[in-house]
Amino acid sequence: MGEVAPENEARRLAAQARDRIRFEEEALELADQVYRVARRLVRSREEAEDLVQETYARAFRSWQSYTLGTNLRAWLLRILTNLNIDRGRRQQRAPEVTPLEEGDYFLANKMAEAAGEQALDQERVVERLSQNAVVDALSALPHDFRDVVVLVDIGEFSYADAAQILDIPIGTVMSRLHRGRRLLKQRLAEDAAV
Amino acid sequence: MSLGPCEKCEELLQGYLDRELSEAEVGEAEAHLDGCDYCRRRYKFEANLRMYVRTSSVERMPAGLMEKLAQLRGDAA
């Protein structure tokens, strides 16, 4: 202690400052993608904005716990999902999940009947369901299911990354995805039936 | 009804759509899709659904958020 040559210390600090700036710039480049995921995890634009700001405040504070060269987007989203959980949303009771084998196929069948099998292409599906229907159906999903669907389908994370972000086993990611999508389809089918 | 749920490929289909299968499993899934009308229809439908969920969130950041985030830089030294 006290033996560090001042020039070495200066060099170390300069290197650290450079790493920090690089970290901050890389993190900011991902802000749009982080926001997009946040926007579907919470209900309002304001909440999403708050959540993203809290995430970046924490990320910039604890940047040294990020390992350079690892998946920064996953690291940021892990902070974000933890903050979202900390907001006490887990206190809300998730609705009972019903087994939905029939409902699962209901929408597929309904659309096939309505449009003919050949017309089950993306444009027709997109035409048939309003953009809001999907947004509403997503926001109505129980949190546990919404998290995985949003991370995998909107965030385009692998199962492994989603598992790491949410700190749950991969098998749980897969089963929640499956059930979450099922619930989503059920909601959409209900909407389409109205 | 000639088309009925196919339990066997339910799990395979999810992994296939999410690009999570090994090469061997992809081959297995594709071979199955080739021979199963029901699953092929399901596949198209599921692929569309994923696409649709993805495009439901193309919303960009609100104006001004980037500046707010940039202001959070380097405040914790």
Side-chain angles (χ1 to χ4, degrees):
Chain A
M1 302 301 262
E3 299 292 331
V4 185
E7 60 268 31
N8 287 345
E9 178 64 1
R11 211 172 294 137
R12 193 185 65 80
L13 286 173
Q16 194 183 62
R18 271 197 306 278
D19 283 351
R20 178 184 196 137
I21 287 167
R22 187 177 146 204
F23 168 86
E24 289 172 345
E25 281 169 0
E26 284 177 13
L28 286 172
E29 278 169 24
L30 296 168
D32 227 0
Q33 295 176 56
V34 171
Y35 175 79
R36 201 170 302 152
V37 171
R39 185 64 190 89
R40 287 293 155 257
L41 289 179
V42 300
R43 280 177 192 274
S44 71
R45 190 169 296 171
E46 290 71 27
E47 274 181 275
E49 228 181 307
D50 283 352
L51 190 55
V52 171
Q53 286 189 71
E54 279 178 52
T55 299
Y56 275 80
R58 184 172 292 188
F60 289 155
R61 264 199 313 276
S62 51
W63 70 280
Q64 280 170 310
S65 68
Y66 168 72
T67 311
L68 271 177
T70 60
N71 189 337
L72 180 54
R73 201 166 65 95
W75 189 83
L76 290 168
L77 280 164
R78 187 172 174 136
I79 294 177
L80 187 139
T81 50
N82 281 332
L83 284 169
N84 197 30
I85 290 164
D86 289 348
R87 290 176 157 214
R89 58 172 219 181
R90 294 285 151 154
Q91 288 161 12
Q92 301 171 33
R93 269 187 66 89
E96 197 69 31
V97 178
T98 47
L100 287 172
E101 278 314 327
E102 283 166 50
D104 199 15
Y105 301 101
F106 177 65
L107 184 56
N109 290 334
K110 191 178 174 63
M111 289 179 149
E113 281 164 24
E117 279 189 42
Q118 294 308 311
L120 259 182
D121 55 8
Q122 183 199 347
E123 291 91 319
R124 289 301 183 86
V125 175
V126 170
E127 244 171 57
R128 206 160 291 273
L129 294 168
S130 77
Q131 198 84 335
N132 282 341
V134 172
V135 171
D136 290 348
L138 262 180
S139 72
L141 284 185
H143 301 302
D144 285 346
F145 300 108
R146 182 163 66 225
D147 285 353
V148 290
V149 172
V150 168
L151 286 174
V152 173
D153 281 353
I154 294 173
E156 298 184 59
F157 283 106
S158 66
Y159 295 169
D161 282 340
Q164 210 209 337
I165 290 167
L166 296 170
D167 205 15
I168 54 178
I170 288 194
T172 307
V173 169
M174 289 165 72
S175 63
R176 285 185 188 172
L177 253 185
H178 191 223
R179 296 173 82 190
R181 283 174 177 149
R182 239 194 235 178
L183 280 173
L184 195 64
K185 281 176 273 187
Q186 189 197 28
R187 296 247 175 216
L188 291 171
E190 285 166 1
D191 283 354
V194 173
Chain B
M1 283 270 284
S2 58
L3 300 176
C6 181
E7 287 294 329
K8 178 196 165 294
C9 60
E10 184 64 36
E11 214 182 304
L12 208 56
L13 189 62
Q14 172 167 300
Y16 183 62
L17 281 156
D18 292 334
R19 297 193 176 80
E20 292 277 347
L21 299 185
S22 68
E23 233 171 278
E25 289 168 324
V26 166
E28 196 189 327
E30 285 175 350
H32 180 75
L33 280 173
D34 273 348
C36 178
D37 283 346
Y38 181 80
C39 284
R40 216 165 32 245
R41 204 178 77 177
R42 286 268 297 152
Y43 169 81
K44 279 178 87 173
F45 175 74
E46 291 284 337
N48 285 337
L49 184 76
R50 278 162 179 70
M51 183 70 75
Y52 199 68
V53 170
R54 191 159 296 156
T55 55
S56 78
S57 202
V58 290
E59 201 174 305
R60 296 191 58 87
M61 279 195 296
L65 180 55
M66 194 53 148
E67 285 70 31
K68 287 181 200 163
L69 297 181
Q71 279 167 17
L72 297 169
R73 289 175 72 162
D75 64 344

